[in-house]
Each structure stands twice: as C-alpha cells, then as structure tokens.
Amino acid sequence: MMSATTCPTDRSPAASGSPPDPLNEEAAGQPAAFMDPMTDTQSIPSDPVKVPAPGPLAILRARFPMGSRIGERMLLGICLLFASSILIFAGIEVLPGNFAETYLGQAATPQAIANLSAEFGLDKPLVTRYFDWLFNILHGDFGHSWASGQSVSTQIADRLGNSLLLAGAAAIIAVPLSVGLGLIAVLYRDRLVDRLINLISLAAVSLPEFFVAYLLILVFVVQHSVAAFPATVYDSMGLMEKLQTIILPVATLVLVVIAHMMRMTRAAIINVMASAYMETAELKGIGAMRAIVKHAAPNALAPIINVVALNLAYLIVGVVVVEVVFVYPGMGQYMVDAVTVRDLPVVQGCGLVFAGIYILLNMTADILSILVNPRLRHPR
Amino acid sequence: MNLRSVSVTAWIGIAGIAIAVIAAALAPWLAPYGENQVVGSPWEAASQAFPLGLDNLGRDLLSRMIYGARMTLFVAFSATVLSFSLGVVLSFVAAVMRGYVDMGLSRLNDLMMSIPTLIFALIVLAALPQNLAVLIGVMAVLDSTRVFRLGRALAGDIAVMDFVEAARLRGEKTLWIVFREILPNAMTPLVAEFGLRLAFAVLFISTLSFLGLGIQPPTADWGGMVKDNKDGIIFGISAALVPGAAIAALTISINLVVDWLLKRTSSLKGGRGG
C-alpha cells in the first residue's frame, strides 16, 4: 500500500517514452522564473529522451539507473571543466589587444614588444600555448605573474585556504539557519510570520555585498569597536585568532546568502507539497506529519541539496567583493588586483580555480540529488 | 489589469523606480551643483547648502547621486535590453529549429553558465579595453545566458502546442513563428524575468564599479561612489553608505514589483499551491 502510493508519478512521461508533455515541462520550467539572480546552476539538462531504442546504453540505464546517471554526470563535469579551461584561455587570447603593447605602455617600441613576447612565450601558436598551459597546470604549475614575477601556484595555494576558510565558516552558519527559516516559512505559510520573512528576505537579496559590509563596519568597528578591521589574517595566527578576525566578513556573507537560500528552500518545499502525490496522501486521510515524513521529505531532499550547493557556489564568488572590502588576503582580492593591472597568468589561474570549484560543487549537488532520489533506487 | 489590483508593496516599488528614473532623466535641472564641481573641503558634513554632505574630493554628494542615477540606470537598462533581445531570440530560435541548432546553442549556454558570472566578467575585462560599450556588451552577453535558459524552457512548452504546429504546416518561416506565435504567449513570465535581470544588472554594474573595473572616474555612478568614499567609513563618515543605500533601494523596488508580477502570473495560471 505504502510503496504504491509513494511514487504515483513514477512513470513520468519522459521515462515512458511519450513526447514531452507540456504540462510536465511547465512544472520543470516554472521554478526558473521564481529563482533569484544568483541561481546560476548548471544542473543536467533534462534531455527529452526519445522513444528508447533499446541499445546497450539504454539497457545499462534501466539496470543501473543510479550508477549510470552518476557516471554520466561525472563525465559531464569533466567535459565542462575541460571546456571551461579552453574558454578561459581562449577567451583572453582571442580578444583584441596586444598584451605586450598594453603591458609596456609608453615604452612600446617594436623591439621591446618582440622581446617581451618572446619572454612570455606569446610568439608561439595559440594551440601550442594552450596545451603547454594546461599541461603545466595539471602538474600544479600556474606559471609566473607578469607583474611581480612570483609563482602563481604558491600564491593560489596560500590564498585558496584563506578563501575557503571564509566561505566555509559562512556556510556552516548560513546553511542550517536558512533551511530552518525556510521550513518555518512553509509551516506558517501565508500567515504573518511567512509574509514577514518573505518581505525581509526580499529586501535582503537586493542588498549589495559592499553595502552590508560597510554598514557592519560602521556599526561594529567605528561605533562600538568590537570587531577587527581590516580583517587581514596571517599564517602565524592560530585558527581561533583567525576566526575572531574574520567575524565581520563572515557575517556579511551569511547575511547576503541566507535570504537567498531561505527563499529557494521555501519554494522547493512548496513545490513538493503542491504535487499530486501529496494531494493523494491528504485525500487518503493520513496525518499531516506522516505525509510530510513519508512522502514529502524524501522528495524535497534533492531540491534542498541543490539549493544549498548553489549557494555554496555563490559564496565562492561572493568572497570576491567581501575580500576586497575587508582587505582579506584571499583568491578574490588576488584576482581583482590582477585584473586591474592585466596580469593575465594570474587572472587565468584564478579564473580556472574558481570555475573548477564551481563546477565541482554543482556536480556534487547533482550526484547527491541522484543518490537521494527514491525513484532511481530500484531498477525498472 | 486595473490599478486596484496593484498591491501596496508593488506601489512602493513603482514609486522607488519612478524617483530614480526622474532623477536620471532630469539630472542637469535637479542637481544643485555640477557633477565634478568641487564646492568645499573633503567630506564636509551635511548642511543647509549640501543636504548629503560632500564626498572625498569635496564634491556635492547629492548632485553626484543624481548624476550617478543616470549612469547606473543607463548602463543597467541597456545591458538588460541587449541581453534580453539576445537571449530571447536565440532561445526561441533554438526551441523552434530543434536538432543541431538547439543542441549547439544549449550546450554552449551550459558551458558559459559553468563559469560564475562575476569571475567570467573579470576574466574578459582583464583583456578588453575599458570603455562603456565594452562594459555593456560584456554584461549583456553574460546575462543573456540566464535569459536563454528561461526562454528555452518557456519556448519548449509552447513550441509543441497545436497552434505552432498549425503555423508550421501553413508554411510560416522560423522568425514568424518566433515573434508571432511564441513570443506573445511567453510575455508575462518574460516581463517578470526582465525585472529580475534589471535588478541583477544594477547590482552587477555597481559591483564592477566598486571593484574599479566598471565605469571609470570622474563619471559619477553609484558603485564607483561607494569606492571613492569607502576610506571615510573608518573615520565614521558615512558618505559611502548613501550610494550603497540607493543601490539597495532601487533593487528592492524592482524586486517588489517583480514579486507582485510573479504572484499575479501564478494566480492567473491557477492550480494548487503556487
């Protein structure tokens, strides 16, 4: 009885091979409109599976629905990573402008340009340089900064830890808080609490990071001097000392990301609650609690995981502005500084690391949501 | 749609947007001083003559705010219009043509979206010359990936409807189907999305300017003004918070209107929940 009602929508139109049902597509496309600017996910495009010609791949999919999907997703992640490395490299190289010329500025005599091009290896063909670059990166060498001559790898190694500390601390606080708030909003749906949370979070997603950051600085550093500014950390500091120093940047990140995560959690849960099987459960007469635990929770897990991962990915980018505000020695500040002086090896290296983390997080989210999807747990 | 159906919060939003637009449109007449006119000493406190005080170089903050509204709104609006035209047309064409065109465009879009927008913008701006057209272009292209994603989903639904099939059998061309059959039916969600993208564009250009990579001084824009005045914060001078608050107020206003539009859309569609 239970198992029969758990998955009434088990045979979804796409799986049974009928043409994409507009109503079903509608449901899939709709949340996109509700999502906020930063919902930059790259979940698997739901390929409209045509009538399955039972090839070996289709059989494999039917036998191991979970394993094959995870394999596909990992393959896609690797392809994306590779393609984005091309995009990052070519994106910079193909664009107009001679770097040697820009770099030399006033002193750009033809001889000097030729020398500099040779020094940086800019005279070699594009494809050769790309593969050299990729080969070196795979061996942990991001090249040397044009501006300072320092090794980009050492800098990134130092700063990546700092950035991850910042983002990690923010995530540990923000994730439970926002998922909890989202649940409360659903529980008191359309009542005063929900409306208040909705209105406040709507305002909060509209605040630029730097505004929140300077507001916090004004209140907690200038007026009450209870926190440190600038939040510069050094390697010699212990973990506790570091955490104490980064209270304000972490608070900024939490405030910025929490409203987002909460709104998306709320939307995801409401989406599940509105589905046909929840109506069935209700009509069948089982209690609200039981319906939520038995039917809603397993299905809501995947969207919530996605929400969390999306916002973690957003945190990775959010650190850029926050680091600049708080003069925090992380990846973001490094990259922004490099962009201002057009220090391309640094920009490319940082860009690739950021993109890699982002792709990895999205991939993890997709794999996790495949893992918790009850419909994929048993072969057809 | 009648005026009474507009909610209170939406009215607040409309009022906020209207103030910004009026300030932008009438800047030379509204601003008491010139955009770059030095009228006193740096960070002079607010007074009768200077309601918001002076900035880091002794320019009137209120006048710069008004001129800044012009720049911020202009860049955000033109980038959004461009990104929308690009995203909507490409996504609809992809949905109508199907096959390889759809595959190619959709995969390219996935690839572009696999790099975070701000990071992508930083990479591209590191290589391109710094001017307004490049800035708007970069913002538009990066943002159009998000529009493409929504547009493709919307058009995918509509392209399989009978009336599109009928148009196809009539022998209509692709562009006719895109503009005459699909676009009118996708209008409401697209309008809401336009608002969202506009709010995002305001935040984005402000962030870029704040990082020193957007609109270059001495032209006034809200993000750049935060950057100019940020050093005053430690001395308790809140000049940097004024443009910051303006950015926040404008995006909140846009989001309030969008929120109402979305609610209205979902109630029009009916259905359980929403």
Side-chain angles (χ1 to χ4, degrees), chain B:
Chain B
M1 175 172 129
N2 60 47
L3 285 181
R4 224 174 276 164
S5 71
V6 182
S7 72
V8 183
T9 46
W11 273 121
I12 298 174
I14 292 171
I17 298 170
I19 292 172
V21 170
I22 290 170
L26 305 176
W29 295 278
L30 284 178
Y33 304 94
E35 187 180 353
N36 292 306
Q37 188 186 351
V38 177
V39 289
S41 54
W43 286 322
E44 213 173 286
S47 61
Q48 199 84 57
F50 317 116
L52 293 177
L54 302 184
D55 77 348
N56 61 327
L57 297 178
R59 296 168 294 191
D60 179 41
L61 204 58
L62 178 66
S63 306
R64 278 184 76 74
M65 287 293 298
I66 294 173
Y67 278 102
R70 190 168 245 208
M71 207 58 202
T72 303
L73 275 183
F74 168 71
V75 173
F77 189 74
S78 29
T80 313
V81 169
L82 258 181
S83 89
F84 240 76
S85 323
L86 203 65
V88 167
V89 171
L90 282 183
S91 65
F92 284 12
V93 165
V96 174
M97 303 260 290
R98 299 187 197 153
Y100 288 112
V101 179
D102 185 17
M103 269 263 281
L105 283 173
S106 294
R107 288 300 92 80
L108 182 70
N109 195 56
D110 286 345
L111 174 60
M112 301 262 293
M113 285 181 78
S114 76
I115 302 174
T117 316
L118 180 61
I119 302 298
F120 209 142
L122 289 183
I123 294 171
V124 179
L125 288 175
L128 286 171
Q130 269 183 342
N131 63 50
L132 207 57
V134 166
L135 195 64
I136 294 174
V138 168
M139 283 175 64
V141 169
L142 290 181
D143 209 40
S144 68
T145 57
R146 274 76 197 169
V147 181
F148 182 92
R149 165 166 276 212
L150 174 72
R152 179 66 189 75
L154 282 173
D157 297 346
I158 302 170
V160 291
M161 299 258 182
D162 288 341
F163 59 83
V164 178
E165 194 60 37
R168 239 192 264 273
L169 292 176
R170 277 203 309 270
E172 304 292 0
K173 299 270 186 313
T174 302
L175 283 183
W176 202 93
I177 295 179
V178 165
F179 285 108
R180 300 296 290 274
E181 303 286 347
I182 296 184
L183 191 61
N185 288 293
M187 219 50 205
T188 333
L190 281 182
V191 169
E193 179 73 3
F194 184 86
L196 277 183
R197 297 331 303 172
L198 185 64
F200 183 67
V202 170
L203 284 177
F204 196 50
I205 181 61
S206 303
T207 302
L208 284 179
S209 290
F210 172 73
L211 294 175
L213 305 166
I215 296 157
Q216 297 302 312
T219 311
D221 87 286
W222 291 349
M225 287 170 68
V226 177
K227 179 190 168 68
D228 291 343
N229 294 302
K230 66 178 182 187
D231 295 330
I233 294 275
I234 321 160
F235 308 114
I237 295 155
S238 53
L241 291 180
V242 177
I247 298 164
L250 180 59
T251 25
I252 289 174
S253 301
I254 298 173
N255 273 329
L256 283 175
V257 177
V258 170
D259 201 48
W260 167 72
L261 269 177
L262 280 176
K263 259 187 206 137
R264 190 170 154 268
T265 317
S266 58
S267 70
L268 279 184
K269 275 188 185 143
R272 198 167 181 262

